[in-house]
Amino acid sequence: MDQNGNRKSIPFNRPFCVGKELYYIAQAVMVDSHISGDGRFTKLCHKWLEETLGTSKALLTHSCTAALEMAAILCDLGPGDEVVLPSFTFVSTANAFVLRGATPVFVDIRHDNLTIDEKLLEQALTPRTKAVVPVHYAGTACEMDEIMSIAASRGMIVIEDAAQALLSTYNGAYLGTMGSFGCLSFHETKNVISGEGGALLINDPAYVERAEIIREKGTNRCRFFRGEVDKYSWVDLGSSFLPSELIGAFLYAQLEHAEQIVKTRRAIFDRYYRQLEPLAEKELLILPIIASRRSSNGHMFYIITRSLEERTGLIRYLKEQDVSAIFHYVPLHSSPAGRKYGRVAGRMDVTDDMSDRLLRLPLYFEMTDKEVDRVVELVWDFYSSVG
Ligand SMILES: *Cc1c(COP(=O)(O)O)cnc(C)c1O
């Protein structure tokens, strides 16, 4: 209740500050007098990502979309080339490659963790397949051993879409550090945020120099600033992919508390899980698999309802009580641009089914135990009414 005795609404997501975000922004403006890109705070973010995650080079971008677009340019893809990816993902995973003229080839996902089904990879490959993009949905790792070994045997580049997966691990390695490239997002709906924001992790050092050029409008300005060339010029394709220092300053303050953010979100995840488990035992709904909890970053808590109608009913019921729960992707293979620019490899049964039945419950850093408990109680109420 608020001061007026009204029930407080529970949003799906709420952006937050954890530390010195606003202080660092003031420092960038007042002390450094540097608010365009690649100032002190951007460099601190690069260092944090490189040292914490273990990658040869991290470059901040203005979004994960931008990081994916940079990766697509670095792969030298063109018309006729194919890129294999799940259909159950955000549009940017495919769009980045379509912008280069390449064709996205959609593969179905696994039932258990909703990531690309590695057993369906081989059937999707052709002599034109140049890259594969595993998407670590909900911060849960794809089957990277199998994907990496298929990619290696076929000479394909691996680009991890780790937009949701900062600090999640797979066999001890951080997600985003196993493929040639990893793409992170700091959009306000992700775990660690800067409003809009992202990073390209370059795990294969051979791509570092060209990545710096592509990010700086196709110029060798980075080498100029390091004193390696005496003037800078246009040397390659590129665009302006770097964020302002204001974003870097906000982000660095968040990165300083990244472990705490993940710990908090995992605790919320666990609280949901414990209290909803009896409903899963009664087979009224399905919960995310427990195995992934240990290595995942608590990015998302979803449930799988028994039908589309039941999901619609539950969304409506929660909304009437001022709780915002939302479904997720419209599969790319059935969306207008996906049909125009891409093709499917095999059946999309799991993708279609899951996109009808998946529902994401509210989960944000400042969510209180009481708020979690209220959502849980409403879900229980709903299921006791439908039986
Ligand atoms: C959020 C997200 C993106 C896009 O991130 P932006 O930073 O908003 O560009 C890409 N892929 C996946 C899987 C995402 O969840």
Side-chain angles (χ1 to χ4, degrees), residues 194-363:
S194 60
E196 302 282 348
L200 179 65
L201 307 180
I202 303 149
N203 306 314
D204 180 344
Y207 291 102
V208 171
E209 188 178 339
R210 189 162 181 234
E212 289 181 334
I213 289 169
I214 289 167
R215 180 168 167 272
E216 270 285 14
K217 301 91 179 165
T219 72
N220 55 359
R221 194 168 169 181
C222 279
R223 297 193 62 194
F224 172 72
F225 284 138
R226 287 196 295 259
E228 294 166 15
V229 289
D230 56 11
K231 57 179 183 306
Y232 75 85
S233 55
W234 184 24
V235 296
D236 201 339
L237 283 182
S239 187
S240 187
F241 286 117
L242 69 168
S244 143
E245 192 61 5
L246 301 178
I247 297 292
F250 193 101
L251 180 62
Y252 187 60
Q254 291 254 326
L255 290 173
E256 287 182 319
H257 293 278
E259 290 289 351
Q260 180 199 345
I261 294 168
V262 167
K263 210 166 144 235
T264 302
R265 293 186 77 113
R266 276 192 186 136
I268 296 170
F269 184 109
D270 287 346
R271 194 174 183 88
Y272 267 132
Y273 198 100
R274 269 198 315 276
Q275 300 191 72
L276 292 174
E277 213 170 4
L279 296 179
E281 279 159 8
K282 288 188 215 160
E283 298 187 355
L284 293 168
L285 49 76
I286 298 171
L287 296 178
I289 52 160
I290 304 180
S292 69
R293 268 201 297 176
R294 281 174 230 119
S295 51
S296 163
N297 62 358
H299 174 61
M300 188 192 297
F301 192 89
Y302 63 79
I303 61 173
I304 311 287
T305 61
R306 288 175 297 187
S307 67
L308 175 59
E309 297 69 40
E310 195 161 278
R311 183 181 74 178
T312 307
L314 179 53
I315 291 174
R316 194 184 313 120
Y317 182 72
L318 293 171
K319 196 169 167 56
E320 282 163 9
Q321 312 292 323
D322 280 330
V323 171
S324 171
I326 46 185
F327 52 84
H328 214 173
Y329 307 123
V330 175
L332 298 185
H333 74 272
S334 54
S335 52
R339 283 215 288 258
K340 180 167 174 195
Y341 296 114
R343 70 172 174 83
V344 294
R347 300 178 60 87
M348 295 286 132
D349 296 347
V350 184
T351 299
D352 288 330
D353 182 37
M354 290 296 149
S355 80
D356 278 352
R357 297 197 287 137
L358 181 137
L359 183 65
R360 295 177 292 162
L361 299 181
L363 202 174

Side-chain angles (χ1 to χ4, degrees), residues 61-68 88-94 134-138 161-165 183-190 195-199 299-300 328-329 360:
T61 53
H62 52 72
S63 59
C64 178
T65 301
L68 288 160
F88 191 69
T89 183
F90 188 63
V91 292
S92 299
T93 318
V135 177
H136 303 299
Y137 185 71
D161 183 336
Q164 304 172 12
C183 302
L184 302 177
S185 175
F186 304 114
H187 185 264
E188 74 165 37
T189 51
K190 305 302 199 278
E196 302 282 348
H299 174 61
M300 188 192 297
H328 214 173
Y329 307 123
R360 295 177 292 162

Side-chain angles (χ1 to χ4, degrees), residues 8-12 14 264-276 301 318 323 361-380:
K8 278 231 187 85
S9 64
I10 300 180
F12 174 69
R14 185 184 283 151
T264 302
R265 293 186 77 113
R266 276 192 186 136
I268 296 170
F269 184 109
D270 287 346
R271 194 174 183 88
Y272 267 132
Y273 198 100
R274 269 198 315 276
Q275 300 191 72
L276 292 174
F301 192 89
L318 293 171
V323 171
L361 299 181
L363 202 174
Y364 43 88
F365 178 69
E366 293 173 321
M367 193 170 186
T368 63
D369 287 351
K370 267 172 108 170
E371 287 175 317
V372 177
D373 295 353
R374 191 164 137 233
V375 177
V376 167
E377 201 182 310
L378 291 169
V379 173
W380 271 86

